[in-house]
Amino acid sequence: MPAQRRELRAQGRKTMRRLADAGLQVFAQRGYHESRVDDIVRVAKTSHGTFYLYFSNKEDLLRTLAIDCASEVEGLAAELGPIDSGSGGELALRDFLARFVSTYRRYGVVIRAWMEDQVSDRDIDRLGVRAFTKIATALGGRMEEAGLDPSQTQASAAALMAMIERSSYAITSRDLGVDDEAMVDSLAVLVHRGFFGASATQSRATGSRQ
Amino acid sequence: MPAQRRELRAQGRKTMRRLADAGLQVFAQRGYHESRVDDIVRVAKTSHGTFYLYFSNKEDLLRTLAIDCASEVEGLAAELGPIDSGSGGELALRDFLARFVSTYRRYGVVIRAWMEDQVSDRDIDRLGVRAFTKIATALGGRMEEAGLDPSQTQASAAALMAMIERSSYAITSRDLGVDDEAMVDSLAVLVHRGFFGASATQSRATGSRQ
Amino acid sequence: MPAQRRELRAQGRKTMRRLADAGLQVFAQRGYHESRVDDIVRVAKTSHGTFYLYFSNKEDLLRTLAIDCASEVEGLAAELGPIDSGSGGELALRDFLARFVSTYRRYGVVIRAWMEDQVSDRDIDRLGVRAFTKIATALGGRMEEAGLDPSQTQASAAALMAMIERSSYAITSRDLGVDDEAMVDSLAVLVHRGFFGASATQSRATGSRQ
Amino acid sequence: MPAQRRELRAQGRKTMRRLADAGLQVFAQRGYHESRVDDIVRVAKTSHGTFYLYFSNKEDLLRTLAIDCASEVEGLAAELGPIDSGSGGELALRDFLARFVSTYRRYGVVIRAWMEDQVSDRDIDRLGVRAFTKIATALGGRMEEAGLDPSQTQASAAALMAMIERSSYAITSRDLGVDDEAMVDSLAVLVHRGFFGASATQSRATGSRQ
DNA sequence: CATGAATGAGTGTTCATTCAT
DNA sequence: AATGAATGAACACTCATTCAT
């Protein structure tokens, strides 16, 4: 009888949270597959037995994290407003990217597990597909508003997502000498110009069409 | 160190090649970490012992494959010609992308291992960094020729690489209903326009500015 | 490093002791190198996994045993009293030898590993060198008290140790038709006469100089 | 059909000797059990296949070496002359010890395999038992001539052999700062005095009773 | 609710020996 | 006479999961 999803009291919820946070941390450091349940319980300052009191297995922990992550990512999609070709659009884009990177800082492992197809579990996969479909759809819509030929929408949105996700990965996991700010700025300009029809001379700096 | 780099006769070379090919195949199917030496030797129709006659361990096989892959990727970088904003540029770009995807079809595992930081081995990593630095440099150079602001080169090249690599991954590993041709065409148009200053109405079809 | 030196509860300590005892037994039967972890856990009536819960590997088990053995051997050295050339000296010597043989019955494997240089591990070696240096020093001191030319002390002590160790090995491991008593008696007389200046006619039997 | 003991022509004999010498060398370095056939054939500059052309297995090589060693050791026993308590005796003893150490330098592995009971092969064992019984008998006889109580002969001879063998092991295998000469001198004095009734003041240096 | 202990299937690697040329 | 290639049984060690307290 695998323990699970009972009503939890305060202490139980706290322990579960400790384990989830530890999972996020350990997965981020070592990668999901290389992470050991042992590491997780050590970080969470609890025991093996306790782990299986709250999660039926390692994958179940990832699934739990994936649910949280999906809801955060879908939130981003829902809140993505119009992006015009002017400096206002760039700012909106910048804001979106900053929030995405911040989500990635917390849930990078989950997103990578989705993008790099690290787990075979159907449920986890579905969560990722749905969340990223929403983001891609939102971005595609905004691009069409900005004048993109609809036949190109899908490919463009996919390409854009790849850029954003990999850049977030790079900034959060690889040791580059670049800080979030700088990288988000660069990316915003690039994306604005490449996907939302901003002209080369336009930028937050000038703020006006020329 | 019983294994490696001795003079091999014809038969030995053949077996080694069988193992390398089997490695490529199994790694591609299951991912590097989830692949079992056992699977590889079964595919190569040889024995466990024989594997260790040619490779000192699983990682060593990956390293060997990485060397081949790096040389192929660096070849691509070396042969990347100028890409103008006209239809000739699009064709050149299309050709480059097609070759990249074809390399990815063979060496996808290795490239993913590099990009997804799957192995801790320094040597393997170095090979990847070097090869992709060359490609990024080559692309960056071509973008600058096409008028890109040099301060944006590095970020642009990195973003472009991400797009190309992830797209190749998608087309070769995920089950999309898209064939290589269509996807390379789409990507070429997109990249040409987004990174090499082609205008929206321009395309191979018309080939002329309007 | 999942194994080792945590706080153990009663049950854990018991299991660890069972494993250590099993190690002693199996090592003694087959020799350290020829012993299989498999044999040890079978004797200890536990599982493979449990072994690695308490020892990080086979060598670590030997190291643990070596620590115990060293402390017992050093105890012998510390308690070695003066050995005069009379029958009292012979009795003291006999007592020492009997205790050494008894230690050998338990820790023979470890002592052999030291003496026959069976393991390359530095720590294990150091333990042996230290313990036997102490014994040799103690014996040397007693021999000098009994009139030995100090320039001969080191060689004499070494030779004596060799005799004692090999004899203990013979009596405990080889199938000789001799029991401990008889052999210790013989050895005591021999050593007393050869290294502590007892005259040929002297012995426990007479107990007096003639 | 295990290859063996056919008539060998010049080339064959040469190859077999190369293998035997390589075995002696590799066994001495790593110990019998830790030696790999691979190491032996590499040192002998030949192949695995060739090894099994001359020896039916690793143990067979040791057996072959043991035969040679036994004959050399038995030679020593046969040539051991009387050892009186005077300086002539010491010289004779010194000569014997020097020859034993020299044999040990070549055949140490074999002698250790006998003494440390490293192999279970009956034949190899028998060879060792016979050879060392001869030496022990010879030494025992000489000791009796020198006045030893016959009831003590066997134990004394065994103890003496242990001393000689272990000392030879120490000098040939362990890194002591002592050269053969010095050690043989020390040992000769010691043994002469302890087992052949020489008085403490007697030695090669003075050569006369005082 | 919590935990230390136990488990055993699974995996990488070694190496003596045999085989085909 | 020689050799490179092949084999597979054997072994050490790992780790997700279950159990007893």
Side-chain angles (χ1 to χ4, degrees), chain B residues 85-88 90 199-210:
Chain B
S85 66
S87 66
E90 189 184 319
S199 72
T201 48
Q202 225 170 24
S203 92
R204 248 190 320 156
T206 72
S208 63
R209 270 173 195 272
Q210 292 183 322

Side-chain angles (χ1 to χ4, degrees), chain D residues 82-150:
Chain D
I83 295 170
D84 61 36
S85 65
S87 67
E90 188 184 320
L91 276 172
L93 195 52
R94 205 199 163 286
D95 180 57
F96 168 76
L97 292 171
R99 291 174 67 190
F100 187 89
V101 169
S102 144
T103 299
Y104 209 98
R105 255 193 202 288
R106 180 161 176 78
Y107 289 110
V109 227
V110 175
I111 299 179
R112 288 186 61 194
W114 284 334
M115 294 313 198
E116 301 174 1
D117 204 20
Q118 286 173 12
V119 281
S120 47
D121 181 278
R122 294 296 241 160
D123 292 344
I124 294 180
D125 231 53
R126 228 191 313 272
L127 286 163
V129 169
R130 201 175 62 196
F132 274 84
T133 301
K134 286 194 181 167
I135 288 236
T137 306
L139 285 169
R142 297 321 179 186
M143 287 192 273
E144 289 187 5
E145 289 168 11
L148 178 71
D149 171 0

Side-chain angles (χ1 to χ4, degrees), chain B residues 13-169:
Chain B
R13 273 199 306 278
K14 211 173 123 191
T15 304
M16 187 168 182
R17 174 130 298 277
R18 263 207 338 275
L19 281 165
D21 286 343
L24 234 22
Q25 175 182 332
V26 172
F27 287 167
Q29 268 167 27
R30 290 170 149 52
Y32 171 68
H33 276 296
E34 299 313 294
S35 293
R36 305 292 151 229
V37 172
D38 202 76
D39 303 327
I40 296 170
V41 300
R42 193 172 328 109
V43 169
K45 290 189 199 306
T46 182
S47 72
H48 237 147
T50 300
F51 179 94
Y52 288 91
L53 217 49
Y54 296 99
F55 304 99
S56 45
N57 50 45
K58 210 174 65 162
E59 200 169 73
D60 185 44
L61 167 55
L62 184 65
R63 192 178 307 119
T64 302
L65 296 172
I67 290 170
D68 296 349
C69 175
S71 107
E72 201 161 313
V73 169
E74 293 182 11
L76 284 185
E79 292 167 23
L80 179 70
I83 295 170
D84 62 36
S85 66
S87 66
E90 189 184 319
L91 277 172
L93 196 51
R94 204 199 164 287
D95 179 56
F96 169 77
L97 293 171
R99 292 173 67 188
F100 187 89
V101 169
S102 145
T103 299
Y104 209 99
R105 251 189 210 290
R106 180 162 177 77
Y107 290 110
V109 228
V110 175
I111 299 179
R112 287 186 62 194
W114 284 334
M115 294 313 196
E116 301 173 0
D117 205 19
Q118 285 174 13
V119 280
S120 48
D121 181 279
R122 292 297 239 162
D123 292 344
I124 294 180
D125 231 54
R126 229 192 311 273
L127 286 163
V129 169
R130 203 174 60 194
F132 274 84
T133 300
K134 286 194 182 170
I135 289 236
T137 305
L139 286 169
R142 296 321 180 186
M143 286 192 273
E144 290 187 4
E145 289 168 11
L148 177 71
D149 172 0
S151 74
Q152 295 275 319
T153 307
Q154 211 174 358
S156 298
L160 179 50
M161 274 319 310
M163 258 176 61
I164 296 175
E165 191 271 332
R166 283 292 99 178
S167 302
S168 301
Y169 168 48

Side-chain angles (χ1 to χ4, degrees), chain A residues 77-105:
Chain A
E79 293 167 23
L80 179 68
I83 295 169
D84 62 35
S85 65
S87 66
E90 189 184 319
L91 277 171
L93 196 51
R94 205 198 163 287
D95 180 56
F96 168 77
L97 292 171
R99 291 173 68 191
F100 187 90
V101 170
S102 146
T103 299
Y104 208 100
R105 258 200 198 284

Side-chain angles (χ1 to χ4, degrees), chain A residues 33-46:
Chain A
H33 271 112
E34 298 312 294
S35 294
R36 307 293 153 228
V37 172
D38 198 82
D39 303 326
I40 296 169
V41 300
R42 195 173 325 112
V43 168
K45 293 191 198 304
T46 181

Side-chain angles (χ1 to χ4, degrees), chain B residues 90 93-94 97 183-193:
Chain B
E90 189 184 319
L93 196 51
R94 204 199 164 287
L97 293 171
M183 133 85 167
V184 164
D185 282 341
S186 256
L187 202 56
V189 170
L190 208 68
V191 170
H192 198 218
R193 199 171 296 154

Side-chain angles (χ1 to χ4, degrees), chain C residues 100-119:
Chain C
F100 187 89
V101 169
S102 147
T103 299
Y104 209 99
R105 253 193 207 287
R106 179 161 177 78
Y107 290 110
V109 227
V110 175
I111 300 179
R112 286 187 63 195
W114 285 333
M115 295 312 198
E116 301 173 0
D117 203 20
Q118 284 173 14
V119 280

